[in-house]
Each structure stands twice: as structure tokens, then as C-alpha cells.
Amino acid sequence: MQSYDVIAETAAPPAAVWALLLDARRWPVWSRVDALETAASQGLSADGRDTVGATRAFRTGKVVTKERITALEPERRFAYEGVENPSMADYTAAIELRETPGGGTSIRWHGTYRARRGMGWFFQWYLRRFMRDMATGLADHAGKPGTT
């Protein structure tokens, strides 16, 4: 198994970060994913508050990956697992939010996976960088006025 573990901080409170995580339609605004493929997703909430069991299909470039929400602890922990991914298997991840003393949020995004054969070394480097950008994008966007 390989893993990544990245941390980002924002002045935004956990509630603002949480709202962005729950709403799959907003992920392309703050993240490196290009689009939410609604036709390939299942169980999306019309009000932007996806629940456990929702499967979200995100497209980045030409690659579409599907992820299912497995656990939600409001404003604390958002966990998911890979359902379809051409580059990896056995993917599980969690985004943990912790309020900082100044009222902001520390975002810890971590996961484990098995890379496709022959891709281990490259994917380890690439995914750490990609997920760091995801966490930073989430933190930066949550901290902008009027984002929630």
C-alpha cells in the first residue's frame, strides 16, 4: 500500500470548509478536478449536501474517477473510497477538519491506495502533489469572502 498525507490551513471556520466538501458540484471551483459528471454519479443531493453512500464521478482531463462517501462526521471528518479509478485500487481517504485557536481550520487530507503495476513510484510523487493542491485549493477557497 502507498499513501499520502497533506495538511493545509485556512482562516475560515470548519463549517465553511465542510459546506464545500459536501457539495460535489462546487468541487471544480476550488479543486484540480475539471468537472462533476452528474450522469455517472449516484445519490447526489439537490441541495448540495451529499450523504453517506453518494457516488461522485469527477473528471480530470480525460480521466473519470468515481468515489463513494463512506463516513460523515459534520465539520470534523469526511471519508470516501474509490469505486472506479484506472490508475489505482483499494483507495480510501479521509479529510479531517480541526478548528484552530484563532477560529480557522486545519485540513488534513490523507489516504491509502495501490497503484497500477509499474506506476508506483510515479503515482506516489504525482498523487502527493495533486492532493496537496486539492487541500490548498479547499483552504484558499473557503477563506474567500462569500464562498458559503
Side-chain angles (χ1 to χ4, degrees):
M1 291 292 269
Q2 292 178 294
S3 65
Y4 63 86
D5 194 340
V6 296
I7 296 175
E9 291 199 4
T10 180
V17 178
W18 187 253
L20 292 172
L21 288 172
L22 288 183
D23 190 354
R25 288 171 181 83
R26 293 174 66 187
W27 280 46
V29 173
W30 57 262
S31 75
R32 289 192 55 188
V33 301
D34 296 325
L36 171 69
E37 299 293 333
T38 55
S41 298
Q42 297 177 335
L44 297 180
S45 172
D47 66 0
R49 295 182 190 155
D50 294 340
T51 59
V52 171
T55 299
R56 301 150 148 211
F58 293 111
R59 181 179 50 77
T60 304
K62 294 181 180 181
V63 177
V64 175
T65 60
K66 292 183 181 180
E67 300 166 347
R68 179 181 306 115
I69 299 172
T70 57
L72 297 173
E73 296 174 34
E75 299 181 21
R76 293 185 53 223
R77 186 170 181 271
F78 179 104
Y80 61 96
E81 65 185 359
V83 175
E84 279 184 37
N85 188 313
S87 301
M88 62 181 164
D90 302 323
Y91 178 46
T92 61
I95 305 155
E96 297 173 351
L97 308 179
R98 184 178 52 82
E99 187 170 3
T100 60
T105 307
S106 174
I107 302 164
R108 178 179 178 224
W109 200 320
H110 58 99
T112 59
Y113 60 94
R114 292 185 196 281
R116 189 176 73 204
R117 187 177 175 137
M119 295 291 291
W121 66 271
F122 171 77
F123 213 66
Q124 179 88 22
W125 170 82
Y126 172 79
L127 196 58
R128 279 188 181 160
R129 184 175 171 176
F130 187 91
M131 299 314 292
R132 183 194 67 228
D133 291 349
M134 293 286 286
T136 301
L138 176 61
D140 291 348
H141 193 74
K144 290 181 182 176
T147 59
T148 55

